[in-house]
């Protein structure tokens, strides 16, 4: 069985693996249609222009927490034949800072572009104007803001105006905003911004569609870890339910279960290792652990494990 140092290397290798799914192709379809092409039809690192050449368009990527949207977009940009290269990247990425304000987001993007730390007294709009110039000077085509739903908690109208400005003029870029359903609702609240974005809603995993492919993932991960694959026939169904049917959570749970199997010097990965990891993460008792409970499908993983079980009072029987 692997020593601790070997187990650490195995887990690090598993975390670096990427699983190709139809989700990847769906995102590229949204992105590639916004890139220009030369006379031969080849994509080039310039934004496609709309509205008589006056503005660009963007993409919203919507998924729940733990859905894997961040990994999906990062991998697509890193691999993109036009936007990523050895010497130059034509995209800039940043996560929403805390506190999430119009000014702090502008400062974060400037710093990510290599601009010196912005003085606190600089006006917010001037930062965004400097950013537009920086993006043009650095030949940035795509600007990706992750966890963008947090950005609109304050200064919503300013952010919406800034997004429109980023898609107009000679410095215009293709913005990608990724976040939860809240982000979609916020963007829909402004028709002028909404019409400039296509929306990719990443669907939850489905056992009928993706059950077999996830079973293959488990077997491949076990092979890398030197473990026999699990035998339980309902493991994937329990996995999907425990992970809230979110792609990223499923992968994280598989790796977590393998971690417990390696730590216990197990020869085979089994459902008890999934139960150990999930119980540690969620704080659920044996009776509420989706990987152990007989009636697991009736359990809601989003319920508070410490919430008291409601007691149903028996109705008094009326006397005849």
């Amino acid at each position: 069985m692997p020593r601790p140092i070997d187990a650490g290397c195995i887990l690090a290798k598993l975390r670096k693996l990427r699983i190709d799914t139809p989700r990847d192709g769906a995102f590229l379809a949204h992105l590639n249609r916004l890139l220009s092409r030369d006379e031969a039809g080849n994509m080039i690192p310039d934004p496609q222009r709309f509205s008589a050449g006056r503005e660009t368009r963007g993409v919203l990527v919507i998924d729940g927490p733990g859905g894997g949207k961040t990994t999906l977009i990062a991998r697509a940009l890193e691999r993109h034949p036009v936007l990523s290269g050895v010497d130059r990247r034509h995209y800039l990425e940043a996560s929403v800072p805390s506190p999430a304000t119009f000014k702090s987001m502008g400062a974060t993007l400037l710093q990510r572009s290599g601009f010196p730390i912005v003085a606190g007294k600089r006006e917010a709009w001037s930062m965004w104007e400097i950013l537009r110039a920086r993006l043009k000077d650095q030949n940035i085509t795509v600007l990706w803001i992750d966890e963008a739903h947090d950005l609109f908690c304050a200064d919503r109208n300013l952010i919406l105006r800034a997004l429109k400005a980023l898609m107009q003029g000679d410095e215009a870029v293709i913005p990608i905003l990724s976040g939860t359903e809240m982000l979609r609702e916020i963007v829909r609240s402004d028709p002028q911004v909404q019409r400039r974005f296509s929306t990719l809603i990443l669907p939850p995993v489905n056992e009928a569609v993706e059950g077999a492919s996830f079973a293959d993932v488990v077997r491949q991960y076990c092979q890398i870890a030197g473990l026999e694959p699990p035998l339980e026939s309902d493991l994937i169904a329990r996995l999907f339910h425990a992970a809230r049917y979110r792609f990223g959570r499923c992968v994280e749970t598989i790796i977590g279960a393998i971690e417990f199997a390696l730590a216990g010097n197990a020869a085979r990965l089994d459902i008890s290792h999934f139960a150990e990891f999930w119980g540690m993460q969620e704080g659920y008792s044996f009776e509420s652990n989706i990987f152990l409970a007989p009636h697991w499908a009736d359990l809601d993983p989003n319920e508070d494990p410490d919430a008291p079980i409601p007691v149903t009072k028996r109705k008094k029987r009326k006397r005849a």
Side-chain angles (χ1 to χ4, degrees), residues 8-228:
C9 293
I10 290 170
L11 294 171
K13 181 177 182 179
L14 293 177
R15 293 187 180 105
K16 290 180 181 178
L17 292 178
R18 296 292 178 258
I19 304 170
D20 291 318
T21 73
R23 298 151 50 100
D24 299 276
F27 173 69
L28 285 176
H30 279 258
L31 174 59
N32 288 345
R33 65 178 288 273
L34 302 182
L35 292 169
S36 295
R37 294 179 180 271
D38 60 20
E39 294 181 355
N42 301 310
M43 279 189 299
I44 58 177
D46 290 327
Q48 184 74 260
R49 296 282 178 159
F50 300 84
S51 299
R54 292 191 298 269
E55 61 186 27
T56 58
R57 293 287 186 263
V59 184
L60 296 180
V61 182
I62 307 299
D63 199 358
K69 55 188 174 296
T70 301
T71 300
L72 182 150
I73 298 171
R75 177 175 60 176
L77 293 176
E78 290 168 1
R79 291 178 168 184
H80 201 282
V82 166
L83 298 175
S84 186
V86 177
D87 300 324
R88 178 183 291 276
R89 294 196 321 183
H90 294 280
Y91 66 91
L92 180 69
E93 59 180 290
S95 294
V96 174
S98 180
T101 66
F102 177 62
K103 185 172 185 177
S104 68
M105 188 74 249
T108 297
L109 290 170
L110 274 177
Q111 290 175 26
R112 291 287 294 166
S113 74
F115 194 76
I117 296 177
V118 179
K121 293 183 179 180
R122 189 184 293 273
E123 292 183 359
W125 271 110
S126 71
M127 283 194 260
W128 284 83
E129 287 302 315
I130 295 171
L131 174 65
R132 282 165 57 86
R134 292 281 296 173
L135 295 177
K136 181 173 180 166
D137 291 343
Q138 295 182 345
N139 293 317
I140 297 297
T141 305
V142 170
L143 177 65
W144 170 31
I145 301 177
D146 194 23
E147 305 298 338
H149 51 274
D150 291 332
L151 186 57
F152 295 91
C153 294
D155 306 333
R156 175 186 295 199
N157 291 333
L158 289 174
I159 294 297
L160 291 171
R161 284 172 56 194
L163 286 175
K164 285 185 280 188
L166 285 172
M167 291 185 276
Q168 296 172 339
D170 294 338
E171 307 90 351
V173 295
I174 300 169
I176 298 175
L177 305 181
S178 52
T180 64
E181 180 64 28
M182 184 192 306
L183 171 63
R184 183 184 178 217
E185 295 304 317
I186 293 168
V187 171
R188 290 176 66 183
S189 70
D190 187 322
Q192 291 188 29
V193 176
Q194 181 191 13
R195 74 174 182 82
R196 291 174 166 88
F197 282 86
S198 65
T199 303
L200 173 61
I201 300 177
L202 299 175
V205 293
N206 181 287
E207 186 185 5
V209 176
E210 296 161 290
S213 63
F214 258 93
D216 286 339
V217 169
V218 173
R219 284 191 286 269
Q220 291 170 17
Y221 279 24
C222 284
Q223 184 176 11
I224 293 172
L227 298 168
E228 292 295 321

